[in-house]
C-alpha cells in the first residue's frame, strides 16, 4: 500500500490511504495514512453501515486538508460490533456433520449432499440481496469437487479442464465458502466471526477443507504440492486443528 | 483489529515477516488541491474486478480498471486470513464507491474519476518494486482523466 502511495505521489498525485495493520504503516510509511481498528478485509468498517463508511472517508479527506508532512493518524471512532458465536445461529439446518474418521470419499459425498441443500437457500438469498461473489473460479461446484476428488486418488490433474489446478483449488474453495457465507449472512445480517466458526467447525465443507492440505502435499503436480505446504490454505492460519487423512 | 496482539500467532508472524521489505529510498510529496478542485479515484489492493474481467493470478502485479458506475464487483483475492463476507454483503466496506458519490454530491470533494483501479495486494511479499510498472501505467491513466487525488484502500 505504501509502495503505491509513494509511486503515485512521485507521479504528481496526492494520496491518502487506509491502514489496517499499524505495524506496516510504521515501518513502511506512506505520505498520509489513517489507521483503522477494523478486521482485515473491512477497511471502511462494516457492510450496510453507511455512517461508519462515510466517517472513515471524511477522516481521510481531513488528513488531505491538514497534513503537511508524513502523517499517520489513528481513527477515533469505535469499531462496529456484531453478534458472536454464542449468539448467532445459522438460519437453517444442514445434513449431519460426518465423523472426523470418515473416508475422503464419504466426506466428498457428504459435501455434495450438503451443497445441494444449501444451494436453495443461497439462490433465495442472492435473489433478495441481488449480489454474489460466487463464480470467480469459472467452475461449477461439481467440477471443483471432481478436482478435489482427483487429488485423493493421486491422479495428475486434468490439464485441459484445469490448466492451473492449484489456482482453481484456491478460487474453488473461495467460491464454495462464499456460497455458504452468503446463504446464511444474507438472511441473518452481519456476523463474520460466528459465521466463520460455523463454517469451519459445523459444516462438512469445513471438514473437507481442513483435510485438503494433507492430500495436496501428496500430489504429483508440483504447484498443488507447494500449495498444500503453504500458509494459503493452512488451518493454523485460522487457529484450527489440522485434520489428518485416515 | 489489527494490532499484532489481536491476531493468531500465525497471522502475526506473517505480518512481521512482510515488514522485512526494504524501505523506500525516496519520500515524494504532492500537495492536494482544495476540496472543491479535487477529482478523486479509488485504488484498491483487494484484487477487485468486474465479474466479466479476467481474475488476478496468484502473485500477479498487473491491474484492472473499474468504471466508477460499476457495482457488480468481485474479488480474486484468495487469502483465508482476510474476511470477505463484508465485501460480499456490501462493496462499500472495502471499496466505498457509493460513499464517494455522496461526498461529491454534498461538496466534500469536487468530482469522481471516470475509472477506479485495482491491484492484487497479495503479491507484495515478493517486493514492492514489481508494482512500479503498473503504478506508472495507472498514474498515467488517472492524470489523463484529470484525477489529482487518490484514496488507497487495502483489504
Amino acid at each position: 500500500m505504501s509502495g503505491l502511495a509513494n509511486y503515485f505521489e512521485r507521479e504528481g498525485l496526492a494520496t491518502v490511504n487506509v491502514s489496517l495493520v499499524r505495524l506496516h504503516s510504521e515501518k513502511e510509511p506512506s505520505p498520509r495514512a489513517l489507521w483503522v481498528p477494523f478486521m482485515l478485509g473491512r477497511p471502511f468498517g462494516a457492510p450496510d453501515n453507511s455512517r461508519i463508511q462515510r466517517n472513515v472517508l471524511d477522516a481521510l479527506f481531513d488528513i488531505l486538508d491538514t497534513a503537511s508532512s508524513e502523517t499517520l493518524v489513528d481513527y477515533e471512532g469505535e469499531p462496529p460490533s456484531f453478534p458472536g458465536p454464542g449468539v448467532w445461529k445459522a438460519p437453517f439446518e444442514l445434513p449431519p456433520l460426518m465423523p472426523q474418521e470418515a473416508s475422503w470419499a464419504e466426506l466428498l459425498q457428504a459435501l455434495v449432499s450438503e451443497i445441494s441443500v444449501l444451494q436453495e437457500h443461497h439462490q433465495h438469498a442472492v435473489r433478495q440481496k441481488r449480489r454474489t461473489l460466487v463464480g470467480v473460479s469459472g467452475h461449477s461446484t461439481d467440477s471443483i469437487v471432481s478436482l478435489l476428488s482427483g487429488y485423493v486418488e493421486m491422479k495428475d490433474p486434468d490439464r485441459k479442464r484445469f490448466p492451473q489446478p492449484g489456482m482453481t483449488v484456491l478460487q474453488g474453495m473461495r467460491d464454495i465458502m462464499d456460497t455458504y457465507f452468503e446463504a446464511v449472512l444474507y438472511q441473518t445480517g452481519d456476523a463474520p466471526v460466528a459465521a466463520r466458526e460455523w463454517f469451519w467447525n459445523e459444516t462438512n465443507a469445513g471438514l473437507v477443507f481442513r483435510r485438503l492440505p494433507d492430500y495436496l502435499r501428496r500430489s504429483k503436480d508440483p504447484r498443488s504440492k507447494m500449495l498444500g505446504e503453504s500458509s494459503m490454505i493452512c488451518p493454523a492460519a485460522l487457529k484450527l486443528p489440522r485434520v489428518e487423512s485416515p | 483489529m489489527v494490532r499484532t496482539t489481536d491476531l493468531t500467532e500465525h497471522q502475526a508472524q506473517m505480518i512481521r515477516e512482510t515488514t522485512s521489505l526494504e524501505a523506500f529510498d525516496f519520500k515524494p510529496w504532492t500537495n492536494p488541491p482544495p476540496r472543491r478542485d479535487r477529482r478523486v479515484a479509488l485504488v484498491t489492493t483487494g484484487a477487485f474486478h468486474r465479474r466479466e474481467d479476467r481474475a488476478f493470478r496468484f502473485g500477479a502485479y498487473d491491474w484492472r480498471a473499474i468504471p466508477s458506475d460499476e457495482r457488480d464487483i468481485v474479488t480474486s483475492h484468495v487469502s483465508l486470513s482476510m474476511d470477505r463476507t463484508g465485501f460480499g454483503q456490501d462493496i462499500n466496506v472495502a471499496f466505498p464507491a457509493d460513499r464517494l458519490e455522496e461526498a461529491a454530491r454534498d461538496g466534500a470533494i469536487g468530482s469522481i474519476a471516470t475509472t477506479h483501479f485495482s491491484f492484487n495486494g497479495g503479491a507484495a511479499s515478493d517486493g514492492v518494486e514489481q508494482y512500479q510498472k503498473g503504478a506508472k501505467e495507472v498514474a498515467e491513466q488517472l492524470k489523463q482523466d484529470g484525477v489529482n487525488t487518490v484514496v488507497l484502500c487495502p483489504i
Side-chain angles (χ1 to χ4, degrees):
Chain A
M1 184 56 70
S2 62
L4 285 174
N6 282 303
Y7 288 129
F8 286 148
E9 292 275 343
R10 191 161 65 176
E11 295 291 326
L13 296 162
T15 67
V16 63
N17 68 274
V18 180
S19 163
L20 281 163
V21 181
R22 207 176 195 291
L23 183 64
H24 280 179
S25 297
E26 290 164 2
K27 295 203 170 184
E28 298 159 17
S30 49
R32 306 168 197 84
L34 174 73
W35 177 75
V36 293
F38 307 144
M39 298 174 73
L40 292 177
R42 298 179 166 214
F44 289 83
D48 300 319
N49 186 335
S50 57
R51 183 187 55 80
I52 196 167
Q53 293 165 2
R54 183 60 195 271
N55 285 347
V56 175
L57 197 58
D58 285 339
L60 292 165
F61 294 153
D62 288 343
I63 295 173
L64 283 163
D65 291 339
T66 55
S68 55
S69 62
E70 206 170 84
T71 300
L72 173 60
V73 174
D74 287 352
Y75 179 70
E76 290 184 350
E78 286 295 309
S81 60
F82 32 74
V87 177
W88 182 88
K89 192 174 182 311
F92 48 79
E93 294 287 329
L94 289 175
L97 191 64
M98 295 294 285
Q100 294 210 350
E101 62 273 20
S103 71
W104 182 252
E106 289 170 327
L107 262 185
L108 285 179
Q109 185 53 52
L111 172 62
V112 170
S113 303
E114 192 173 80
I115 288 174
S116 71
V117 172
L118 193 90
Q119 287 286 11
E120 193 179 327
H121 295 283
H122 181 251
Q123 285 164 9
H124 175 72
V126 170
R127 274 197 303 274
Q128 297 288 315
K129 188 79 173 174
R130 290 188 292 178
R131 172 154 175 75
T132 183
L133 294 179
V134 176
V136 173
S137 73
H139 290 271
S140 68
T141 305
D142 287 348
S143 180
I144 294 162
V145 171
S146 146
L147 174 63
L148 300 184
S149 180
Y151 280 113
V152 182
E153 295 160 14
M154 303 294 284
K155 289 179 183 166
D156 194 29
D158 179 349
R159 294 298 179 149
K160 283 187 181 165
R161 197 170 165 201
F162 305 109
Q164 297 177 308
M167 195 66 207
T168 305
V169 168
L170 281 173
Q171 296 289 13
M173 283 176 72
R174 298 313 309 227
D175 269 350
I176 290 174
M177 290 172 75
D178 287 337
T179 305
Y180 279 70
F181 288 132
E182 289 173 3
V184 293
L185 293 179
Y186 285 9
Q187 290 190 50
T188 66
D190 194 31
V193 176
R196 188 181 65 189
E197 297 277 318
W198 166 79
F199 177 83
W200 287 104
N201 296 313
E202 297 180 39
T203 73
N204 286 305
L207 201 49
V208 166
F209 289 170
R210 285 161 67 182
R211 194 182 285 179
L212 184 61
D214 218 29
Y215 287 109
L216 289 172
R217 278 193 290 274
R218 303 178 202 169
S219 172
K220 293 174 185 171
D221 171 45
R223 286 180 180 271
S224 300
K225 196 180 184 71
M226 199 187 307
L227 178 62
E229 290 165 351
S230 80
S231 61
M232 293 300 298
I233 58 170
C234 175
L238 301 159
K239 256 186 180 167
L240 294 166
R242 199 170 120 194
V243 177
E244 300 287 349
S245 55
Chain B
M1 294 274 255
V2 176
R3 294 183 174 92
T4 51
T5 50
D6 296 325
L7 301 169
T8 66
E9 181 49 37
H10 179 88
Q11 289 171 322
Q13 185 186 339
M14 287 186 71
I15 281 171
R16 282 192 291 268
E17 286 172 359
T18 307
T19 58
S20 64
L21 292 169
E22 286 181 20
F24 287 90
D25 57 1
F26 56 93
K27 299 279 182 190
W29 183 270
T30 296
N31 287 319
R35 283 191 178 221
R36 65 178 179 279
D37 296 329
R38 279 182 207 159
R39 184 166 174 79
V40 181
L42 301 175
V43 175
T44 174
T45 52
F48 300 159
H49 51 86
R50 294 181 297 183
R51 186 173 298 279
E52 63 268 32
D53 285 344
R54 189 167 41 88
F56 283 94
R57 291 180 63 174
F58 182 67
Y61 294 100
D62 55 350
W63 49 270
R64 304 285 182 274
I66 302 174
S68 58
D69 59 354
E70 176 66 57
R71 293 296 180 272
D72 188 16
I73 302 170
V74 296
T75 174
S76 37
H77 204 295
V78 289
S79 167
L80 289 181
S81 303
M82 173 201 90
D83 173 84
R84 62 186 215 177
T85 65
F87 183 67
Q89 294 170 77
D90 175 9
I91 62 168
N92 292 285
V93 76
F95 190 74
D98 293 323
R99 302 293 84 79
L100 199 61
E101 281 192 357
E102 291 162 10
R105 277 200 299 273
D106 65 25
I109 58 171
S111 60
I112 300 173
T114 309
T115 307
H116 302 306
F117 290 89
S118 174
F119 290 85
N120 176 25
S125 58
D126 289 332
V128 288
E129 289 293 327
Q130 304 278 1
Y131 278 118
Q132 190 164 6
K133 178 175 175 288
K136 278 187 173 174
E137 292 166 354
V138 167
E140 193 54 42
Q141 294 214 19
L142 289 169
K143 286 189 283 189
Q144 283 176 13
D145 187 22
V147 170
N148 47 39
T149 308
V150 175
V151 172
L152 289 152
C153 314
I155 192 71

